[in-house]
Amino acid sequence: EVLIDRVEARSTVLGRADGHSRRPRALVANVDLAIVMASIVQPPLRPDIVDRYIVAAIAGGLEAAIGITKTDLPHEPAELDAFCNTYRRIGHDVAVGDARTVEFVDTVRETIGSSVAALVGPSGVGNSTLAAALTGVERAVGEVSQKAGTGRHTTSDPRLIELPDGGAVIDTAGVRSFHLPMLDARTVEAGFKEIAATSAECRFRGCNHVGEDGCAVAEAVSSDRLESYRRILEEVGALTRRAPHA
């Protein structure tokens, strides 16, 4: 028989929406860092999914880094470089390589340091392979569906595993879709560091910062990033329909 004496407050929480109901659901709590994992191919790189995870992480009080795997497979180097440079410029650590190589594992280990880090991201991108390389604890590893181009769900029991030289890692279950709970515009904005840094310069009140004429953000941020930001605002019900005014 188990008796719960008390429930301690969470210091941080990484959450998602439970399907389209938008009911919040915690994935991990009391974690310092979310490493958003993605692969360059098989499954293909989806910047919009990376952005959703980053928004969720920062909204929950976590830092966010990015890990890109499967660079041993044929891919467009220019596409990969452009992606990495975008996120590095705005302050996110980005590790790039093959989750089975010492160089990549060491880079991720350096990023984690003494933190408690959660590996999060779509199924099939190498979370469990990397977790095993970091910790020496083997986890189930699945293949990518050739028909759908998505990973199969293999890890369903997130575990915190201490690293030999300090810190710890949590290998969370990969997902095929990641929905955000309802958030306000300021919270979404915080997940796009370059937009948050520029928004104070916008002279409009009630501005969505998604391309309005005269908006300081629209003039300073790339159209791809603005479009990702706009889609997330719309998804979480924070995109206003009124015209901004000075």
Side-chain angles (χ1 to χ4, degrees):
E1 182 177 342
V2 176
L3 176 64
I4 298 175
D5 180 61
R6 66 179 181 273
V7 177
E8 299 285 355
R10 293 167 172 163
S11 58
T12 65
V13 61
L14 176 65
R16 60 180 289 199
D18 189 6
H20 293 284
S21 70
R22 298 297 176 192
R23 185 175 59 190
R25 175 185 174 189
L27 294 178
V28 291
N30 302 325
V31 171
D32 306 306
L33 174 69
I35 301 181
V36 183
M37 300 293 294
S39 57
I40 189 64
V41 291
Q42 296 185 12
L45 182 61
R46 291 276 306 275
D48 59 320
I49 300 296
V50 172
D51 289 339
R52 289 180 189 177
Y53 273 103
I54 291 174
V55 167
I58 293 177
L62 290 76
E63 295 293 329
I66 299 169
I68 305 297
T69 64
K70 302 190 180 181
T71 56
D72 57 309
L73 299 178
H75 64 278
E76 290 292 335
E79 176 188 349
L80 178 59
D81 288 345
F83 174 90
C84 294
N85 289 338
T86 293
Y87 291 90
R88 284 173 176 150
R89 275 196 303 267
I90 59 177
H92 295 292
D93 288 335
V94 183
V96 182
D98 179 347
R100 299 167 298 181
T101 64
V102 172
E103 293 82 5
F104 181 77
V105 173
D106 284 348
T107 299
V108 174
R109 185 179 287 113
E110 184 177 345
T111 298
I112 294 172
S114 60
S115 302
V116 176
L119 304 180
V120 299
S123 302
V125 300
N127 286 20
S128 295
T129 299
L130 176 59
L134 286 166
T135 65
V137 178
E138 292 294 332
R139 305 278 275 159
V141 176
E143 298 295 329
V144 173
S145 166
Q146 297 301 313
K147 180 178 180 180
T150 57
R152 293 189 175 93
H153 209 60
T154 53
T155 300
S156 57
D157 59 331
R159 289 174 55 194
L160 185 148
I161 307 169
E162 293 185 357
L163 300 178
D165 298 320
V169 68
I170 300 172
D171 177 18
T172 68
V175 298
R176 292 184 180 178
S177 61
F178 185 83
H179 300 289
L180 288 165
M182 302 304 284
L183 301 170
D184 60 38
R186 185 62 62 86
T187 301
V188 176
E189 181 183 291
F192 288 77
K193 292 188 175 184
E194 75 274 51
I195 293 177
T198 313
S199 63
E201 301 173 17
C202 184
R203 61 191 178 91
F204 297 129
R205 287 178 292 171
C207 187
N208 288 307
H209 309 309
V210 293
E212 295 87 344
D213 289 340
C215 170
V217 172
E219 295 173 356
V221 178
S222 72
S223 58
D224 289 346
R225 294 286 289 164
L226 287 175
E227 178 59 21
S228 181
Y229 174 63
R230 185 200 65 78
R231 285 197 300 265
I232 291 179
L233 284 178
E234 192 166 42
E235 176 185 334
V236 301
L239 184 64
T240 59
R241 302 297 177 182
R242 64 183 183 277
H245 57 281

